Amino acid sequence: MPPDQIAKLPGYGLDVHKNREEARALVRKLGSGPDNRLKIKVTTRGWSLYRDQAVLLLDQLKQIYIDGELDLVNTAQYFPKIMRKQYTVALNLQTAGPDSDPTVQLFYGCGRTSTGTTIAIPRWTR
């Protein structure tokens, strides 16, 4: 996607301060804010590659009134935990390669249980 189109997407503009203010406004509209911060738990695998990304996510969320606790899970327990839906927010790294369509269909297509999310958004699978 060309940079000028990306800049039009919510949260992708070049003005970081404006993007964060828009995100804070959304969070306030939903009932949270500086005096009533939303508390979540971010679950990820216990490898440094996953942990480091989760720490970055937590830092970003903190800037929009969301306080996250890091829940590191051993790899052997991670996927069963996801399949049981025992998480609030789960961070997992999926690669897309040069053509993301097969990856999107594999992991996020309607009725897929490979990630435990069972998302059903028919227009994504067309």
Side-chain angles (χ1 to χ4, degrees), residues 3 10 12 23-24 30 45 51 54 66-67 70-71 76 95 103-104 107 120:
Y12 283 87
R24 288 182 193 114
L30 295 173
R45 295 163 71 181
R51 182 192 63 236
I66 300 174
D67 290 335
L70 183 57
D71 179 24
T95 60
T103 303
V104 169
F107 290 106

Side-chain angles (χ1 to χ4, degrees), residues 1-15 18-19 22:
M1 186 179 285
D4 61 321
Q5 287 184 337
I6 292 173
K8 294 177 185 175
L9 296 172
Y12 283 87
L14 297 176
D15 187 345
K18 179 181 174 229
N19 294 340
E22 289 174 0

